[in-house]
Amino acid sequence: MDQVAQIEREAEVAIGAATTTAELRELEIQFLGKSGRLTGLMKGIGALPADERKPFGEAVNQAKGRLEALLGDRTTHLKSGERAAQFEAERIDVTLPGHPVRAGRKHVLQQTIDRIKHVFGSMGFVYHESPELEDFKYNFDALNYPPDHPAMDAQDTFYVTDDLVLRTQCTALQGRVFETTAPPFRAFTVGRTYRNEAVDRTHSHTFHQVDVFMVDEGVSMAHLKGTLGLFARAMFGPEVKVRFRPDFFPFVEPGVDYAISTPKLFGGRWVELGGAGLVHPNILERYGIDTERFSGFAFGLGVERIPMMAYGVDDLRHFLENDRRFLGQFA
Ligand code: FA5
């Protein structure tokens, strides 16, 4: 009996001194577990005289009950302290300033494309999607390039098969529209173009073009110049000057190059934006259009050159490098 009281006493002291719930679990095993000290006393019960066995068993069980209750109380007490400490450690100061999330914005080329679409759309040109991976025949044959014509050398590109190329010019849209649409019509597209080209400040292997054309009765160079003049003023303001000089493209006759200059940028230097001209009669005839009645104009412009001129960017490689310090300037 003394033994029971002795062990109970020791357990009480240890439980009272425990400072964590983990220690309490250890003590529970140590005193009340299967091989615990109090439980162990029951193993010796058989050696006791018969009349002492029952009171001994009762005394052990009562001691066990008291210790279990004591452990329970102490666990509850320590847990609430531990929880409070944990809460304290995890406390969040909701009054601290937040972390700002950087807002995205449209890429400057996309902003330019949106404006181009708006300007030509408002002049009655209908926007067409056109594939970047293009049939060789639309990129060259349908545009009046004779087989092996040297003009194709200036537009070497990436061949996927002999008949499928990454388009070199958005003018490839023409054949697709001529095949399906009878004049009069006004059409345009904007998109990515590719050329096997040495990269420098004004040339890239991957760039964008806008290509515009219309066919109607009595269309002349005057319409072409009027349209490109209007476009230049819409994009660069009223001070812009435009220049046309004779040039050659197999799909126009006559052909011109189109350049602009603004007094504020690049010292008023002329910058070529693209090529233009009247749709070659060979093309109209190829698609069964009566050239006595109908004529058309066409032009194609490099998109990168437009923000270069508008903002004074001196190297088009910046557009593709995704440097936020550069792109962030174009709100
Ligand atoms: C053409 O691509 C013709 N398709 C334009 C055309 C359309 C003429 C309709 C007549 C009628 P060109 O190769 O010059 O033409 O390219 C037109 C414009 O695209 C150039 O003036 C330039 O602004 C841009 N460009 C051409 N090559 C590159 C390049 N490697 N990097 C960036 N821009 C380019």
Side-chain angles (χ1 to χ4, degrees):
M1 228 45 108
D2 287 352
Q3 246 181 326
V4 177
Q6 169 71 24
I7 291 174
E8 187 178 356
R9 194 67 219 114
E10 274 181 45
E12 277 170 6
V13 172
I15 291 168
T19 53
T20 66
T21 51
E23 277 176 58
L24 291 179
R25 278 194 295 279
E26 280 299 311
L27 291 172
E28 186 175 8
I29 294 166
Q30 195 183 325
F31 288 97
L32 307 176
K34 261 199 193 126
S35 333
R37 290 175 62 193
L38 207 53
T39 327
L41 290 180
M42 293 294 254
K43 288 189 187 134
I45 202 167
L48 293 175
D51 60 340
E52 283 181 25
R53 286 181 198 163
K54 196 170 169 224
F56 183 80
E58 278 171 3
V60 170
N61 281 334
Q62 280 162 10
K64 250 180 142 175
R66 284 192 296 274
L67 288 180
E68 272 164 8
L70 195 60
L71 273 169
D73 288 351
R74 186 80 185 140
T75 301
T76 312
H77 174 72
L78 285 182
K79 254 195 188 150
S80 71
E82 282 172 7
R83 222 178 278 137
Q86 195 181 347
F87 276 148
E88 193 53 42
E90 291 177 2
R91 182 199 287 275
I92 297 170
D93 182 352
V94 291
T95 64
L96 282 174
H99 300 289
V101 177
R102 244 190 291 261
R105 73 185 81 204
K106 276 191 185 165
H107 191 284
V108 58
L109 288 179
Q110 189 58 51
Q111 294 176 27
T112 308
I113 288 169
D114 290 350
R115 282 186 63 203
I116 292 172
K117 284 183 175 173
H118 178 74
V119 172
F120 289 122
S122 65
M123 289 190 222
F125 290 90
V126 174
Y127 182 76
H128 292 255
E129 284 291 341
S130 193
E132 288 177 28
L133 190 55
E134 183 57 281
D135 293 359
F136 182 90
K137 69 168 183 184
Y138 288 121
N139 200 85
F140 294 117
D141 297 340
L143 291 173
N144 201 34
Y145 286 82
D148 303 320
H149 192 278
M152 275 190 274
D153 294 347
Q155 298 196 11
D156 187 23
T157 182
F158 306 93
Y159 284 73
V160 175
T161 67
D162 283 349
D163 302 323
L164 215 50
V165 299
L166 288 178
R167 67 177 170 194
T168 60
Q169 50 188 346
C170 279
T171 320
L173 172 68
Q174 277 194 17
R176 295 177 172 274
V177 171
F178 278 123
E179 271 176 6
T180 54
T181 319
F185 61 76
R186 298 174 194 196
F188 79 111
T189 191
V190 190
R192 221 169 254 169
T193 40
Y194 304 85
R195 291 186 195 178
N196 180 7
E197 183 118 49
V199 174
D200 61 24
R201 288 193 307 114
T202 51
H203 294 88
S204 175
H205 46 75
T206 304
F207 56 104
H208 296 76
Q209 283 191 337
V210 48
D211 212 272
V212 183
F213 56 103
M214 72 175 287
V215 179
D216 204 337
E217 293 183 21
V219 173
S220 71
M221 286 299 279
H223 296 103
L224 173 66
K225 291 169 84 172
T227 305
L228 281 172
L230 199 61
F231 174 70
R233 287 189 291 281
M235 300 302 283
F236 304 102
E239 286 177 320
V240 69
K241 287 191 284 186
V242 301
R243 184 189 71 184
F244 298 92
R245 290 191 310 190
D247 200 355
F248 172 78
F249 300 94
F251 35 94
V252 285
E253 180 58 39
V256 291
D257 85 31
Y258 165 66
I260 63 154
S261 133
T262 78
K264 277 178 267 158
L265 287 169
F266 303 123
R269 213 179 64 218
W270 291 102
V271 171
E272 182 197 301
L273 285 192
L278 294 186
V279 179
H280 200 293
N282 283 357
I283 295 183
L284 298 178
E285 279 161 13
R286 182 189 178 115
Y287 293 101
I289 296 169
D290 178 0
T291 50
E292 292 297 313
R293 187 173 162 210
F294 288 110
S295 54
F297 71 58
F299 57 85
L301 316 176
V303 171
E304 280 77 359
R305 304 271 165 101
I306 293 170
M308 285 177 90
M309 279 305 280
Y311 303 116
V313 177
D314 62 357
D315 192 328
L316 64 65
R317 285 169 287 201
H318 292 312
F319 293 125
L320 293 181
E321 279 169 356
N322 282 336
D323 184 336
R324 281 209 303 243
R325 287 168 305 176
F326 172 75
L327 295 175
Q329 300 174 86
F330 309 100

